[in-house]
Amino acid sequence: MKPPQRIALAGFLLCGTLAGCASESTLLRLDTGLTEADLRQGKIAVLGVVKYQEPDQVRPPLVAMLERTLAEERRDIPLIRADSVRSVLGPERYRRILLAYEYQGTLDSAALREIADSLRGKARFVVLARVTRERIRNSARGVSAADTGVIRPEYAMGITGRDASVQVHLYDVSRSELVMSAAYEGSSENSKPILASVLPGAPPGVTVEVGPQAVPPESQGYPPPPELALALEEPFRAFARALPVTPRPPVPPQPAGSR
């Protein structure tokens, strides 16, 4: 094998990850009185992220993703981390409030009063999210020269994707009111070459679904699914960007001849 071909094949055997694919969004509620100044002065406390009918152990990476995306997208808004909120609420009360939210999809007025009393003015707003659905899918597509630098017809690109539906809620605990909520569909994909044929005569780049059910990656040579947190990255970023922003005043034109 010639050296250039060895280099191309080495690149071909690498796995790829496409994290945070574009998400679909639906803004369910936005209080018209909510302003950027309110958020900046009142601060946002991250309460948590839950997944319906899943144990608490799945939450930490999801919470970390929500905190990271909020901090990166809205540096102007002070953020209180979930660990601090859990500390002031206490483990038992914190777990009870999140469990109720997991099954009901909302925070009731009693829970909001408890949170407000515990925060004692440290934050006026709390944000939390609820994953309502996820799906693992497998597909394959033909390998193109763009993937490898060489055409390898005996290979296909195996793709394992994770799709997730999530709702995000922002509450004003000083008024015990929901001020913003939105629903999102997010996804992420892993890909790698697999020894499998695609449809006869299919051009490179065609996508072929592998049956109606998700095929276990270990039995078909597909890559493992991406972490759920990666599928939630774009939804969480979209929510952060949707938070109110004060329009900047236009820059007045400089007088002619000025420097």
Side-chain angles (χ1 to χ4, degrees), residues 18 135-139 158-164 187-191 214 222-226 231:
L18 181 59
R135 179 176 72 99
I136 305 297
R137 53 182 164 79
N138 294 109
S139 62
I159 300 169
T160 303
R162 187 189 296 267
D163 304 323
S187 65
S188 181
E189 293 180 346
N190 282 340
S191 64
Y222 285 85

Side-chain angles (χ1 to χ4, degrees), residues 22-100:
S23 64
E24 298 180 8
S25 63
T26 303
L27 185 62
L28 302 174
R29 174 176 172 76
L30 178 60
D31 189 324
T32 56
L34 182 66
T35 67
E36 179 188 11
D38 292 333
L39 297 172
R40 192 171 58 248
Q41 295 167 11
K43 303 179 184 178
I44 295 179
V46 177
L47 190 58
V49 181
V50 301
K51 184 172 181 290
Y52 183 61
Q53 292 187 329
E54 289 290 342
D56 299 355
Q57 287 78 4
V58 306
R59 296 175 183 172
L62 312 185
V63 174
M65 181 61 75
L66 178 59
E67 292 178 338
R68 179 166 71 83
T69 51
L70 281 171
E72 290 176 355
E73 296 291 338
R74 296 304 303 265
R75 300 177 187 273
D76 55 319
I77 301 174
L79 197 66
I80 297 178
R81 306 281 173 169
D83 284 345
S84 298
V85 178
R86 183 178 184 274
S87 178
V88 298
L89 281 172
E92 288 303 319
R93 182 184 297 178
Y94 180 78
R95 183 178 181 279
R96 172 171 52 80
I97 289 174
L98 283 186
L99 184 63

